[in-house]
Amino acid sequence: MTRLMLLTESAVSKLRSELEKPGGLAGYRGGGFTFTRDALLPSTVEVSDTLPELKSAGPECDAPSSVNLYRWLGSLEEVLATDERLWAALAHGHFAEYTRSRWPVPSDDSKAISSIRSHWFVGGGLGGLRRNSVARLWWAAHLTYAPWEDEQDGAEFGGLKPPDGDPFIYTTTLFKNQNVYQALVEREFGSSRRVLIAMLEVIRRDPTNRATDAFSNALGKQVNLLSAFREISALPVATLVNNFEALAAGFTRNQG
Amino acid sequence: MAARPFAYPHPVLGSGDDVVGELSPLNLTVESHADRLVLNAGPFSSTNPTLSTLLEQGLASYAIRVHCSGTYFRRSWTSSKPVMQIIIPASRLVGTVKVRLWVIAKTLLGTYRPQGLHADYGETTFRLEDCDVLAEGEEVAFTADKDFDPLAGAVSSFMRIECGENDTGPFETIFDQPRILIRLPKLDWANYQLLKSSAPQILHSAIVLPVLAEAIRVVWDRPDHLLDLAWFQKVDLMLTGAGAEPEDPLVETAQKLLQNPFSRAGQDAARLVQEDE
């Protein structure tokens, strides 16, 4: 086991400011980054010396990469997992090659800067964590990991536990389609674990027809409307699943 | 830009002039502890007789939603009682946290028609389902400060070292603030800055270890005026986690919490010596 080293706030700030300087993109387009001792900060997070395998062949690799990363980093505290020093350090350090490969840096410099800010750093709001190459993988797993083990609501999710007990069943569902992550997690109601898992359960039941752009967009819109006049995060999980199934049936009828 | 008012599909107290009456303010107070936030809200009340009756009969309830966009935290608590206490782990909230009060249906209300309904609704009745909003209450935002830096290691999250006023002499320790404050003499400050970047572990033995030992003694003494301070609660939690007892030697306990700092200081010192050679 080894203690994870982070970038200091000033090191992150320096990296960001150097982006627009001549030659500032070189490290992102190839090679790598080396940091002086005072740019690094020992964290309280201990990880295995063996890095997890993060495949970058395409979006279909995100689910296994997410699972591998979560197993390696573990269940960090949420406040810690919003910290840019952590994710920028991992994107520029251990997973620089992965980040470069999964999110290729555009040849146009201004587009390159925009892409690097999104995937190598953490911008503002929920979108920032969703776009960072490493943070998005960890948060996807964290938000969906074995809901039946949830300290407060675990019993309510008990009925959703699959026979094989796969704790990452909803992580896999979340990455079935790139739009599902955006349509569900990046909306305010998606921060409610009950609502998010209930929506993913509905998609999991028929991934061929439901893990699609059209379905996830439609479901996201309908749940958004519903949440405006109903406090859906106070509803039992079973009721949410039934409500969302009814919405899904409505989409099918309209398509027919 | 002001938010566009939302048109509910049914009459809601607090939404324009749909229904006559008021919902009381949230009356929120937030207590920040090292490991948790305690939100106390209420007492609440409604001046609309229909809502008051539904609340008394358990057919409606108060609901408080806590939403922290920084950590993907969104959760609602319901209660028929007019006061609520909500405890949330401090690790789950950072930055702006929004808290909102509602009154919601707790069952199917097949023919809902509150007293004081606006005349435009005529004789219409409404079918409401479980958790449909009956009244919009106040929304309050507070900031969940990251008093303790979770990435900076356990110690620097509750100790702060700064340059003092004296040129020379012993460093000062101040325990009656949220973080333990250590003030170094000006002439030592420059050396501290040098060590901080080149051999930080030496500082653990030279400064942090004795201060932590003193802090542990303070925690065991439990003086009333320090009990609520964040550093006190953090050290208390660390002592509990380490299974330490008041009768244990202070310096040994401090070394245990710091995971044997001299071993690391020795490594830093040896490296500096080798670099000089």
Side-chain angles (χ1 to χ4, degrees):
Chain A
M1 296 294 278
T2 186
R3 195 167 278 213
L4 200 59
M5 298 299 283
L6 312 172
L7 288 171
T8 62
E9 208 166 312
S10 59
V12 174
S13 177
K14 190 176 172 199
L15 276 171
R16 193 181 263 118
S17 66
E18 284 180 351
L19 259 182
E20 298 194 42
K21 292 179 181 170
L25 299 175
Y28 296 95
R29 290 203 159 116
F33 300 87
T34 52
F35 297 102
T36 57
R37 211 177 157 79
D38 60 357
L40 297 169
L41 179 74
S43 75
T44 53
V45 181
E46 290 209 332
V47 290
S48 160
D49 295 324
T50 308
L51 290 180
E53 184 182 18
L54 304 189
K55 290 184 181 171
S56 54
E60 63 279 8
C61 297
D62 284 348
S65 296
S66 174
V67 171
N68 290 343
L69 179 79
Y70 197 72
R71 286 189 168 134
W72 183 70
L73 268 178
S75 176
L76 308 172
E77 291 186 344
E78 282 92 343
V79 168
L80 187 156
T82 63
D83 202 309
E84 185 177 37
R85 295 171 301 172
L86 170 67
W87 302 119
L90 290 172
H92 288 80
H94 291 315
F95 305 116
E97 191 51 49
Y98 163 78
T99 304
R100 189 179 294 117
S101 176
R102 178 67 182 84
W103 305 97
V105 178
S107 52
D108 176 82
D109 282 359
S110 63
K111 286 180 183 168
I113 290 169
S114 172
S115 169
I116 290 164
R117 281 185 181 141
S118 290
H119 303 303
W120 297 69
F121 296 88
V122 176
L126 293 179
L129 289 168
R130 191 185 62 75
R131 285 186 286 272
N132 177 278
S133 64
V134 192
R136 66 190 288 275
L137 298 176
W138 185 88
W139 273 100
H142 184 67
L143 293 169
T144 53
Y145 179 84
W148 48 89
E149 290 180 11
D150 189 295
E151 277 182 26
Q152 289 180 306
D153 293 332
E156 269 204 74
F157 291 107
L160 300 181
K161 186 176 179 179
D164 65 358
D166 177 9
F168 293 105
I169 186 171
Y170 294 113
T171 313
T172 308
T173 307
L174 189 62
F175 279 120
K176 283 279 183 200
N177 177 295
Q178 293 294 300
N179 196 55
V180 173
Y181 196 163
Q182 187 169 354
L184 272 54
V185 176
E186 210 168 307
R187 291 180 190 251
E188 282 203 355
F189 58 77
S191 295
S192 162
R193 191 165 165 85
R194 297 173 180 220
V195 175
L196 177 65
I197 296 298
M199 292 170 86
L200 289 171
E201 169 62 13
V202 170
I203 292 172
R204 187 199 63 79
R205 291 174 176 183
D206 184 7
T208 307
N209 293 308
R210 295 177 176 178
T212 63
D213 286 2
F215 185 89
S216 55
N217 280 337
L219 184 63
K221 279 181 188 168
Q222 286 300 312
V223 174
N224 196 34
L225 277 174
L226 196 63
S227 68
F229 62 86
R230 186 171 298 158
E231 189 55 10
I232 55 173
S233 53
L235 282 168
V237 174
T239 306
L240 283 170
V241 173
N242 288 340
N243 284 354
F244 298 162
E245 271 294 349
L247 291 174
F251 305 154
T252 309
R253 275 198 304 275
N254 290 339
Q255 282 170 355
Chain B
M1 188 172 71
R4 194 173 54 178
F6 176 76
Y8 288 93
H10 56 262
V12 169
L13 179 67
S15 173
D17 54 3
D18 276 7
V19 183
V20 173
E22 283 182 348
L23 192 58
S24 62
L26 186 54
N27 293 321
L28 179 74
T29 59
V30 181
E31 295 170 20
S32 181
H33 300 264
D35 60 340
R36 67 195 187 284
L37 291 167
V38 180
L39 280 58
N40 290 299
F44 326 117
S45 60
S46 162
T47 59
N48 181 279
T50 305
L51 255 62
S52 299
T53 304
L54 290 172
L55 284 161
E56 282 168 18
Q57 293 174 341
L59 301 175
S61 70
Y62 295 104
I64 286 184
R65 182 204 299 157
V66 178
H67 184 214
C68 175
S69 57
T71 55
Y72 295 98
F73 182 92
R74 185 180 175 103
R75 196 179 158 86
S76 298
W77 286 261
T78 62
S79 174
S80 57
K81 294 179 181 166
V83 291
M84 289 172 77
Q85 184 177 73
I86 295 166
I87 298 173
I88 303 172
S91 62
R92 303 205 65 181
L93 303 175
V94 67
T96 303
V97 181
K98 293 179 182 172
V99 186
R100 184 147 201 183
L101 174 68
W102 311 89
V103 175
I104 60 173
K106 280 310 288 175
T107 186
L108 176 74
L109 301 175
T111 55
Y112 181 65
R113 183 178 163 75
Q115 286 185 43
L117 190 61
H118 193 280
D120 285 357
Y121 286 104
E123 295 304 312
T124 313
T125 60
F126 298 85
R127 178 188 162 86
L128 303 191
E129 297 199 24
D130 190 11
C131 290
D132 274 359
V133 172
L134 303 180
E136 255 184 13
E138 183 186 28
E139 182 175 75
V140 170
F142 69 90
T143 303
D145 285 326
K146 204 159 56 174
D147 286 337
F148 295 119
D149 185 343
L151 290 180
V155 171
S156 50
S157 69
F158 64 84
M159 275 189 197
R160 192 153 60 90
I161 301 176
E162 63 177 38
C163 187
E165 295 297 315
N166 301 331
D167 288 334
T168 58
F171 60 75
E172 299 171 81
T173 51
I174 294 153
F175 290 96
D176 60 357
Q177 297 198 8
R179 279 204 276 187
I180 297 168
L181 192 57
I182 300 167
R183 288 207 176 110
L184 298 181
K186 287 175 186 167
L187 293 178
D188 292 338
W189 178 251
N191 287 331
Y192 163 75
Q193 294 290 0
L194 190 67
L195 280 176
K196 191 179 161 193
S197 58
S198 60
Q201 299 301 337
I202 291 176
L203 296 172
H204 264 219
S205 282
I207 301 176
V208 175
L209 177 66
V211 175
L212 183 59
E214 177 68 6
I216 291 168
R217 187 191 62 75
V218 174
V219 169
W220 291 141
D221 289 347
R222 310 197 79 75
D224 286 343
H225 69 293
L226 300 182
L227 293 178
D228 289 334
L229 294 179
W231 77 258
F232 185 100
Q233 294 173 4
K234 184 76 176 177
V235 174
D236 202 14
L237 279 175
M238 289 168 69
L239 289 168
T240 304
E245 299 289 344
E247 56 273 19
D248 295 341
L250 292 176
V251 176
E252 276 183 31
T253 304
Q255 288 181 83
K256 196 172 173 184
L257 297 187
L258 292 175
Q259 298 172 328
N260 304 324
F262 184 72
S263 302
R264 297 193 303 276
Q267 287 167 10
D268 264 1
R271 182 178 47 76
L272 287 179
V273 170
Q274 284 164 3
E275 283 172 4
D276 269 357
E277 291 168 353

mmCIF file of all heavy atoms in Angstrom, chain B residues 151-177:
data_model
loop_
_atom_site.group_PDB
_atom_site.id
_atom_site.type_symbol
_atom_site.label_atom_id
_atom_site.label_comp_id
_atom_site.label_asym_id
_atom_site.label_seq_id
_atom_site.Cartn_x
_atom_site.Cartn_y
_atom_site.Cartn_z
ATOM 1 N N LEU B 151 -7.836 16.291 2.682
ATOM 2 C CA LEU B 151 -6.721 15.766 1.898
ATOM 3 C C LEU B 151 -5.376 16.117 2.503
ATOM 4 O O LEU B 151 -4.351 15.621 2.095
ATOM 5 C CB LEU B 151 -6.776 16.316 0.465
ATOM 6 C CG LEU B 151 -7.914 15.777 -0.371
ATOM 7 C CD1 LEU B 151 -7.872 16.391 -1.749
ATOM 8 C CD2 LEU B 151 -7.836 14.267 -0.475
ATOM 9 N N ALA B 152 -5.378 16.987 3.470
ATOM 10 C CA ALA B 152 -4.102 17.482 3.976
ATOM 11 C C ALA B 152 -3.540 16.644 5.116
ATOM 12 O O ALA B 152 -2.550 17.001 5.701
ATOM 13 C CB ALA B 152 -4.269 18.919 4.445
ATOM 14 N N GLY B 153 -4.193 15.543 5.401
ATOM 15 C CA GLY B 153 -3.719 14.719 6.500
ATOM 16 C C GLY B 153 -4.424 15.117 7.765
ATOM 17 O O GLY B 153 -4.937 16.230 7.895
ATOM 18 N N ALA B 154 -4.460 14.192 8.695
ATOM 19 C CA ALA B 154 -5.274 14.399 9.890
ATOM 20 C C ALA B 154 -4.812 15.596 10.703
ATOM 21 O O ALA B 154 -5.614 16.327 11.253
ATOM 22 C CB ALA B 154 -5.233 13.136 10.739
ATOM 23 N N VAL B 155 -3.517 15.824 10.789
ATOM 24 C CA VAL B 155 -3.024 16.845 11.706
ATOM 25 C C VAL B 155 -3.171 18.249 11.152
ATOM 26 O O VAL B 155 -3.749 19.134 11.791
ATOM 27 C CB VAL B 155 -1.557 16.568 12.064
ATOM 28 C CG1 VAL B 155 -0.974 17.734 12.845
ATOM 29 C CG2 VAL B 155 -1.469 15.295 12.884
ATOM 30 N N SER B 156 -2.686 18.473 9.937
ATOM 31 C CA SER B 156 -2.750 19.841 9.424
ATOM 32 C C SER B 156 -4.189 20.273 9.186
ATOM 33 O O SER B 156 -4.451 21.438 8.938
ATOM 34 C CB SER B 156 -1.931 19.981 8.145
ATOM 35 O OG SER B 156 -2.270 18.976 7.241
ATOM 36 N N SER B 157 -5.123 19.332 9.278
ATOM 37 C CA SER B 157 -6.522 19.729 9.135
ATOM 38 C C SER B 157 -7.029 20.437 10.388
ATOM 39 O O SER B 157 -8.048 21.099 10.341
ATOM 40 C CB SER B 157 -7.386 18.515 8.825
ATOM 41 O OG SER B 157 -7.455 17.670 9.947
ATOM 42 N N PHE B 158 -6.353 20.290 11.512
ATOM 43 C CA PHE B 158 -6.856 20.990 12.693
ATOM 44 C C PHE B 158 -5.788 21.805 13.427
ATOM 45 O O PHE B 158 -6.016 22.306 14.510
ATOM 46 C CB PHE B 158 -7.540 20.008 13.663
ATOM 47 C CG PHE B 158 -6.630 18.961 14.244
ATOM 48 C CD1 PHE B 158 -5.859 19.234 15.357
ATOM 49 C CD2 PHE B 158 -6.555 17.712 13.675
ATOM 50 C CE1 PHE B 158 -5.026 18.276 15.897
ATOM 51 C CE2 PHE B 158 -5.720 16.742 14.200
ATOM 52 C CZ PHE B 158 -4.957 17.021 15.309
ATOM 53 N N MET B 159 -4.620 21.923 12.794
ATOM 54 C CA MET B 159 -3.589 22.801 13.353
ATOM 55 C C MET B 159 -3.175 23.801 12.289
ATOM 56 O O MET B 159 -3.123 23.450 11.113
ATOM 57 C CB MET B 159 -2.331 22.000 13.722
ATOM 58 C CG MET B 159 -2.361 21.367 15.068
ATOM 59 S SD MET B 159 -0.733 20.692 15.459
ATOM 60 C CE MET B 159 -1.187 19.601 16.793
ATOM 61 N N ARG B 160 -2.906 25.012 12.726
ATOM 62 C CA ARG B 160 -2.446 26.027 11.769
ATOM 63 C C ARG B 160 -1.185 26.657 12.336
ATOM 64 O O ARG B 160 -1.126 26.985 13.532
ATOM 65 C CB ARG B 160 -3.522 27.084 11.566
ATOM 66 C CG ARG B 160 -3.271 27.999 10.390
ATOM 67 C CD ARG B 160 -4.589 28.530 9.862
ATOM 68 N NE ARG B 160 -5.318 29.274 10.879
ATOM 69 C CZ ARG B 160 -5.201 30.578 11.079
ATOM 70 N NH1 ARG B 160 -4.380 31.287 10.333
ATOM 71 N NH2 ARG B 160 -5.905 31.185 12.006
ATOM 72 N N ILE B 161 -0.182 26.793 11.480
ATOM 73 C CA ILE B 161 1.078 27.392 11.918
ATOM 74 C C ILE B 161 1.232 28.731 11.220
ATOM 75 O O ILE B 161 1.050 28.824 10.003
ATOM 76 C CB ILE B 161 2.266 26.459 11.588
ATOM 77 C CG1 ILE B 161 2.064 25.106 12.282
ATOM 78 C CG2 ILE B 161 3.592 27.095 12.014
ATOM 79 C CD1 ILE B 161 3.107 24.053 11.959
ATOM 80 N N GLU B 162 1.515 29.782 11.988
ATOM 81 C CA GLU B 162 1.693 31.098 11.367
ATOM 82 C C GLU B 162 2.838 31.849 12.041
ATOM 83 O O GLU B 162 3.371 31.434 13.065
ATOM 84 C CB GLU B 162 0.388 31.892 11.425
ATOM 85 C CG GLU B 162 -0.079 32.201 12.831
ATOM 86 C CD GLU B 162 -1.352 33.052 12.829
ATOM 87 O OE1 GLU B 162 -2.211 32.837 11.977
ATOM 88 O OE2 GLU B 162 -1.445 33.942 13.702
ATOM 89 N N CYS B 163 3.208 32.944 11.404
ATOM 90 C CA CYS B 163 4.318 33.741 11.909
ATOM 91 C C CYS B 163 3.824 34.635 13.058
ATOM 92 O O CYS B 163 2.822 35.338 12.919
ATOM 93 C CB CYS B 163 4.872 34.600 10.768
ATOM 94 S SG CYS B 163 6.364 35.483 11.234
ATOM 95 N N GLY B 164 4.520 34.583 14.184
ATOM 96 C CA GLY B 164 4.116 35.379 15.340
ATOM 97 C C GLY B 164 4.745 36.764 15.338
ATOM 98 O O GLY B 164 5.358 37.194 14.359
ATOM 99 N N GLU B 165 4.614 37.456 16.465
ATOM 100 C CA GLU B 165 5.110 38.825 16.591
ATOM 101 C C GLU B 165 6.547 38.868 17.116
ATOM 102 O O GLU B 165 7.299 39.783 16.821
ATOM 103 C CB GLU B 165 4.208 39.611 17.555
ATOM 104 C CG GLU B 165 2.783 39.812 17.052
ATOM 105 C CD GLU B 165 2.759 40.643 15.786
ATOM 106 O OE1 GLU B 165 3.471 41.674 15.732
ATOM 107 O OE2 GLU B 165 2.056 40.259 14.832
ATOM 108 N N ASN B 166 6.920 37.875 17.935
ATOM 109 C CA ASN B 166 8.256 37.893 18.537
ATOM 110 C C ASN B 166 9.320 37.492 17.526
ATOM 111 O O ASN B 166 9.069 36.683 16.631
ATOM 112 C CB ASN B 166 8.308 36.921 19.726
ATOM 113 C CG ASN B 166 7.287 37.294 20.785
ATOM 114 O OD1 ASN B 166 6.954 38.467 20.928
ATOM 115 N ND2 ASN B 166 6.772 36.310 21.500
ATOM 116 N N ASP B 167 10.525 38.062 17.710
ATOM 117 C CA ASP B 167 11.624 37.695 16.807
ATOM 118 C C ASP B 167 12.198 36.331 17.170
ATOM 119 O O ASP B 167 12.553 35.551 16.294
ATOM 120 C CB ASP B 167 12.738 38.745 16.867
ATOM 121 C CG ASP B 167 12.318 40.040 16.182
ATOM 122 O OD1 ASP B 167 11.454 39.957 15.283
ATOM 123 O OD2 ASP B 167 12.816 41.110 16.562
ATOM 124 N N THR B 168 12.357 36.104 18.459
ATOM 125 C CA THR B 168 12.941 34.832 18.914
ATOM 126 C C THR B 168 12.135 34.312 20.113
ATOM 127 O O THR B 168 11.187 34.955 20.549
ATOM 128 C CB THR B 168 14.410 35.038 19.366
ATOM 129 O OG1 THR B 168 14.406 36.016 20.414
ATOM 130 C CG2 THR B 168 15.304 35.485 18.229
ATOM 131 N N GLY B 169 12.559 33.159 20.609
ATOM 132 C CA GLY B 169 11.898 32.608 21.794
ATOM 133 C C GLY B 169 11.088 31.373 21.462
ATOM 134 O O GLY B 169 11.124 30.884 20.327
ATOM 135 N N PRO B 170 10.362 30.845 22.451
ATOM 136 C CA PRO B 170 9.570 29.635 22.206
ATOM 137 C C PRO B 170 8.346 29.938 21.335
ATOM 138 O O PRO B 170 7.866 31.074 21.322
ATOM 139 C CB PRO B 170 9.138 29.213 23.614
ATOM 140 C CG PRO B 170 9.192 30.465 24.422
ATOM 141 C CD PRO B 170 10.260 31.321 23.829
ATOM 142 N N PHE B 171 7.883 28.938 20.615
ATOM 143 C CA PHE B 171 6.652 29.168 19.842
ATOM 144 C C PHE B 171 5.453 29.128 20.785
ATOM 145 O O PHE B 171 5.487 28.493 21.846
ATOM 146 C CB PHE B 171 6.511 28.197 18.670
ATOM 147 C CG PHE B 171 6.458 26.737 18.989
ATOM 148 C CD1 PHE B 171 5.320 26.150 19.533
ATOM 149 C CD2 PHE B 171 7.547 25.909 18.699
ATOM 150 C CE1 PHE B 171 5.265 24.795 19.791
ATOM 151 C CE2 PHE B 171 7.503 24.550 18.952
ATOM 152 C CZ PHE B 171 6.352 23.994 19.505
ATOM 153 N N GLU B 172 4.393 29.872 20.398
ATOM 154 C CA GLU B 172 3.189 29.956 21.241
ATOM 155 C C GLU B 172 2.144 28.963 20.737
ATOM 156 O O GLU B 172 2.069 28.698 19.532
ATOM 157 C CB GLU B 172 2.558 31.350 21.139
ATOM 158 C CG GLU B 172 3.414 32.496 21.591
ATOM 159 C CD GLU B 172 2.720 33.798 21.217
ATOM 160 O OE1 GLU B 172 1.819 34.222 21.959
ATOM 161 O OE2 GLU B 172 3.063 34.371 20.170
ATOM 162 N N THR B 173 1.321 28.455 21.632
ATOM 163 C CA THR B 173 0.204 27.593 21.213
ATOM 164 C C THR B 173 -1.096 28.185 21.746
ATOM 165 O O THR B 173 -1.173 28.601 22.899
ATOM 166 C CB THR B 173 0.368 26.167 21.763
ATOM 167 O OG1 THR B 173 0.614 26.252 23.161
ATOM 168 C CG2 THR B 173 1.519 25.453 21.098
ATOM 169 N N ILE B 174 -2.092 28.229 20.872
ATOM 170 C CA ILE B 174 -3.391 28.811 21.241
ATOM 171 C C ILE B 174 -4.465 27.765 20.988
ATOM 172 O O ILE B 174 -4.627 27.284 19.856
ATOM 173 C CB ILE B 174 -3.642 30.088 20.416
ATOM 174 C CG1 ILE B 174 -2.590 31.133 20.831
ATOM 175 C CG2 ILE B 174 -5.042 30.636 20.653
ATOM 176 C CD1 ILE B 174 -2.253 32.120 19.781
ATOM 177 N N PHE B 175 -5.174 27.400 22.038
ATOM 178 C CA PHE B 175 -6.126 26.293 21.937
ATOM 179 C C PHE B 175 -7.590 26.731 21.909
ATOM 180 O O PHE B 175 -8.463 25.904 21.756
ATOM 181 C CB PHE B 175 -5.925 25.330 23.127
ATOM 182 C CG PHE B 175 -4.644 24.549 23.054
ATOM 183 C CD1 PHE B 175 -3.513 24.975 23.717
ATOM 184 C CD2 PHE B 175 -4.575 23.390 22.295
ATOM 185 C CE1 PHE B 175 -2.325 24.260 23.639
ATOM 186 C CE2 PHE B 175 -3.392 22.663 22.207
ATOM 187 C CZ PHE B 175 -2.265 23.097 22.882
ATOM 188 N N ASP B 176 -7.850 28.034 22.083
ATOM 189 C CA ASP B 176 -9.258 28.430 22.192
ATOM 190 C C ASP B 176 -9.832 28.945 20.871
ATOM 191 O O ASP B 176 -10.672 29.828 20.836
ATOM 192 C CB ASP B 176 -9.437 29.476 23.299
ATOM 193 C CG ASP B 176 -8.630 30.735 23.039
ATOM 194 O OD1 ASP B 176 -7.888 30.752 22.032
ATOM 195 O OD2 ASP B 176 -8.735 31.694 23.820
ATOM 196 N N GLN B 177 -9.354 28.392 19.766
ATOM 197 C CA GLN B 177 -9.885 28.740 18.449
ATOM 198 C C GLN B 177 -10.292 27.449 17.735
ATOM 199 O O GLN B 177 -9.903 26.366 18.165
ATOM 200 C CB GLN B 177 -8.823 29.473 17.632
ATOM 201 C CG GLN B 177 -8.430 30.782 18.289
ATOM 202 C CD GLN B 177 -7.725 31.734 17.348
ATOM 203 O OE1 GLN B 177 -7.646 31.500 16.151
ATOM 204 N NE2 GLN B 177 -7.220 32.811 17.906
#
